Amino acid sequence: MVSWKTSLLAAAAATAFGATGVRADVEIEYWQYFFEARVKAMDELIARFEAANPGITVKHTHFPYADYRTKVAAAIPAGEGPDVVQLFYGWLNDYVNADLIQPLPADRFAPDRIEADFYPMVQAMKIDGAYWALPTAVRSLALFYNKRLLEAAGIAAPAATLDELVEHAGRISVVDGAGNVSTVGLTTGMTAQDHHWLREVLIRQFGGAPYTEDYRTVTYDSDAGRAAVSWYVALEQEHGVTRAGFMDEPQAAFRAGRAGYHIDGSFRIGALQGERGLDWGVTELPAGPDGSRGNYASYWVNSITSKAEGERLEAAAKFMEYITSDEAMQLWLEVVGELPAKPAAAATSAEHPVYGPFIRGLAYGHATVFADESAQRQVFVDMVNRILLEGASVTDSLAAAAAAEQAVLDRYFGSAN
Amino acid sequence: MTRYSALTVRQKQVVWAWGFLAVPVVFYVVIRFYPTAQAFVLAFMEWNLLGTRRWAGLDNFARLWADPVFWQVFRNTFVYLLLGTPASLVLAFAVAFHLDRVRFMHGAIRALYFLPFMTSAVAMAWVWRWFYQPVPIGLFNNALATLGIPQIRFLNSTTNALPAILAPAIWAGLGFQIIIFMAGLRAIPRSYYEAARIDGLSGWATLTRITIPLLKPTIVFLVVFSSIGFLRIFDQVFNMTTNDPGGPLNASKPMVLMIYQTAFSSFDMGYAAAQTVVLFLVLLAVSLAQLWLMRDRP
């Protein structure tokens, strides 16, 4: 029998020789938050990148979303953090102001080429003529529907307009004699995706604009804003086709087959595909009263931190180039289900039955420039709660929401500049 | 420098005592006191975690004073305290008092009461969150609906959310308080009760004249301990209202949750530190007041 000391020695020797045998010239570190499919996709991309670029190794680190921002912020100034880091697009200004990231080298990332290849919303990543970050994938919203429930209600084609949506939802929802809902026509919940739908889609469809162009001034306390909010709360208060908080979360109700329609992002596709017994389809968000379409798009970007210098910077730039390539986008779509950030990148057309509605939505999507996404979401959550739970009027509640959100924006932009 | 062997026995004892004490002292200084001191400094600064820190003077406190959400949260925190502490103490005492007399399956019953205390607060909060859902999934509302009684909005209500969240928090802490009360009851000499019985004292008089006065140290401990617990309530609230933390409309938000959100979703570290300082002062004042009120009068 081999003694434990011998095995230990052998293991130590193996590690030492192994380390010298495949010693890499440069090691760079990549950080992202933990989401199983994203981690899997990135591991695959790293393996392919390392195969194509001997001499560069990429160390992949991920942690729970809840700690992500705190850890990144603490690590980079201490020189401990990543060379390439994943950020939410809305955080870019904070990172640029704090000198945590650097502009992408212009030789590999020419602004005019980026603008020709990527979706226009990516231009939000350009500051002072240089791009600071680029996405691999983008996401947008669409209207999911339960085919069985639609069929049972005698609906041939999914709703294409808001009026059709209300009418269909009325036919689908099931209420018992005591007024208890067992199936909703449409899921609602400001805490899920509805605040994006209301902010960037409904308010515009009712003829308004949520903010000024620079997203620093709230402009939805208007006739259009009141019309949009009135339409939204009428779904529950007047038409009775939905219940806020039904089955705890909108996506849970839809997955359980207890909702006819459900608005959600492209990131939900993966979860729904694994749901047994659920026969679902997806279509574009319904057109507004004036026939216009709208969408909310968002994305995560990758950026090179200020820690990367010299050789590491060169390696980091190469890696960035690879993870924003067509090949990477195709893989990301297959593994994560998120849409390519370049219209021409993936072998998926706007006609695809599942991805198509999302891709078409990107063409007219708006990416809100958030100062503090959770605080701004809370403003919308509270606005609807005041109406539904406390009986406040739409006019008063919307005015209060506009004032509260303007205060959030003022504090942020006032101090950041 | 004096050699160790040249020290007297007394001096050697001192060296060893401090040697052992050094571990917790260093731990407390580095892990507790240093960050606490930092928080006090941070309360007078503006910092978004990424950029540079800027002195802000008393701005954070002025903003706190003018923030209606803070006052609502302040009120909620005291509602948790003023409902939670008496309710949990009375319940725990009633259970302990009767359990003390039960011989049948005494150990098993005591274990059942203690079980919730050992359960993770997060798991418990999610189970209760499910209990409170409306039909068709909520346990309570399904039962009500079966009996033909209208549903109750538990969590999605500005008036019911706080008590609904408080209930499992009380239940979770009950086991611990029962054990402490029972230990206190066992510590009362039997001879007092025998004397009371010989003198023909009624059950109520025995309770109010002997049991409760002699339980005072236990009661003081539990009041302070559970008050601090309810003033710092977080796990239950956060997990039962993750989608709208402390909602709806801040109706169930305690101070610790507001601090958490200010710091880790708005990244307004200075403002969060100012709130922490206020919470510290509240905890200090409440604890001192309780100790003073329940002190032993000569």
Side-chain angles (χ1 to χ4, degrees), chain A residues 328-348:
Chain A
M329 290 180 188
Q330 179 67 37
L331 185 133
W332 203 263
L333 174 75
E334 286 160 12
V335 179
V336 186
E338 287 187 330
L339 315 166
K342 296 180 198 170
T348 295

Side-chain angles (χ1 to χ4, degrees), chain A residues 225-251:
Chain A
R226 282 183 284 275
V229 175
S230 301
W231 182 86
Y232 181 83
V233 294
L235 289 171
E236 176 161 348
Q237 287 191 323
E238 192 184 313
H239 308 298
V241 298
T242 186
R243 285 282 187 287
F246 178 71
M247 293 194 71
D248 202 26
E249 287 181 351
Q251 53 94 9

